[in-house]
């Protein structure tokens, strides 16, 4: 019976949070299809480790799992292939070809610039500004203090602006 309750809980969380988790992972690794796999792995890992869930916010717990799996994936894939992808950002695919075709120019510019940031900056910008999580949620997911989240967010946004300027992605809003 407990197993059925756990399956029901994980299924409910999947319905509620899988799109957010997938988007987060996609921004982290730049690969739509591997992000789908890692999203599935996140919920499978959550099911296997449900006994370690002690009533904290499920969304934050799932983001922690997703982040750890994604970092492990990045470490495993840290090869010539990833180096080439980083050197040739136009060849990077975040989404399906249909989705890429519909990306507007500023989304693409933001995405390319995000990939050039330090992981800590990228993580906090994605969580706070793209996923719109609270400072507390981001701190919980990243295992940081709230002040570290705020500091890294501020520095990350400055670095992102600089990255976008260096990439020639100047817009009317970049001065504000």
């Amino acid at each position: 019976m407990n197993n059925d309750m756990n399956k029901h809980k994980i299924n409910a969380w999947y319905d509620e949070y899988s799109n957010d988790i997938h988007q987060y992972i996609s921004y982290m690794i730049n690969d739509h299809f591997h992000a789908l796999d890692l999203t599935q792995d996140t919920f499978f890992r959550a099911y296997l480790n449900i006994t370690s869930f002690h009533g904290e916010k499920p969304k934050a717990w799932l983001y922690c799992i997703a982040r750890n799996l994604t970092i492990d994936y990045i470490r495993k894939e840290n090869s010539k292939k990833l180096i080439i992808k980083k050197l040739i950002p136009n060849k990077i695919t975040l989404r399906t070809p249909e989705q890429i075709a519909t990306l507007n120019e500023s989304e693409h510019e933001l995405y390319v610039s995000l990939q050039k940031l330090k992981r800590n900056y990228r993580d906090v910008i994605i969580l706070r500004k793209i996923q719109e999580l609270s400072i507390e949620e981001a701190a919980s997911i990243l295992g940081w203090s709230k002040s570290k989240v705020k500091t890294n967010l501020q520095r990350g946004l400055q670095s992102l602006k600089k990255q976008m300027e260096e990439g020639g992605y100047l817009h009317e809003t970049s001065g504000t």
Side-chain angles (χ1 to χ4, degrees):
M1 184 65 171
N2 195 15
N3 229 4
D4 288 337
M5 288 175 37
N6 291 341
K7 284 180 187 177
H8 178 71
K9 185 182 291 188
I10 295 296
N11 284 334
W13 290 347
Y14 183 86
D15 290 341
E16 189 169 352
Y17 303 120
S18 63
N19 289 335
D20 292 337
I21 297 291
H22 176 259
Q23 183 182 31
Y24 169 69
I25 295 170
S26 289
Y27 275 106
M28 294 282 293
I29 65 169
N30 240 359
D31 186 315
H32 167 75
F33 296 106
H34 283 105
L36 287 172
D37 290 341
L38 289 167
T39 300
Q40 294 297 322
D41 292 347
T42 297
F43 287 91
F44 182 67
R45 177 83 50 97
Y47 175 73
L48 293 176
N49 295 295
I50 193 75
T51 57
S52 67
F53 178 74
H54 299 292
E56 60 270 21
K57 294 181 179 177
K59 186 175 185 178
W61 187 65
L62 291 167
Y63 269 96
C64 285
I65 294 169
R67 181 174 187 265
N68 291 334
L69 285 171
T70 304
I71 289 170
D72 289 346
Y73 169 81
I74 291 168
R75 286 183 184 140
K76 289 177 188 171
E77 295 297 314
N78 193 11
S79 64
K80 290 180 188 176
K81 182 177 162 186
L82 283 181
I83 292 169
I84 291 169
K85 277 186 175 181
K86 289 189 184 281
L87 293 175
I88 310 171
N90 292 336
K91 301 241 182 205
I92 296 172
T93 57
L94 160 66
R95 300 173 179 171
T96 65
E98 296 82 17
Q99 291 171 317
I100 290 170
T102 63
L103 276 179
N104 70 38
E105 185 178 333
S106 59
E107 284 176 319
H108 178 73
E109 293 165 357
L110 172 64
Y111 183 73
V112 169
S113 297
L114 268 174
Q115 294 310 307
K116 295 178 181 177
L117 298 180
K118 288 176 23 179
R119 180 185 299 148
N120 283 350
Y121 292 167
R122 185 173 56 233
D123 285 355
V124 74
I125 289 170
I126 292 169
L127 290 172
R128 289 283 294 129
K129 297 299 181 181
I130 297 174
Q131 296 298 115
E132 299 179 345
L133 298 180
S134 70
I135 291 171
E136 293 79 12
E137 289 172 317
S140 174
I141 290 164
L142 297 168
W144 297 351
S145 67
K146 289 188 258 185
S147 64
K148 184 173 179 177
V149 169
K150 292 175 188 177
T151 301
N152 274 276
L153 179 60
Q154 181 181 11
R155 291 177 183 164
L157 290 172
Q158 290 169 351
S159 183
L160 179 60
K161 180 180 177 186
K162 181 179 176 188
Q163 203 55 249
M164 292 186 81
E165 288 170 352
E166 288 174 2
Y169 305 135
L170 297 174
H171 298 284
E172 312 81 58
T173 57
S174 66
T176 58

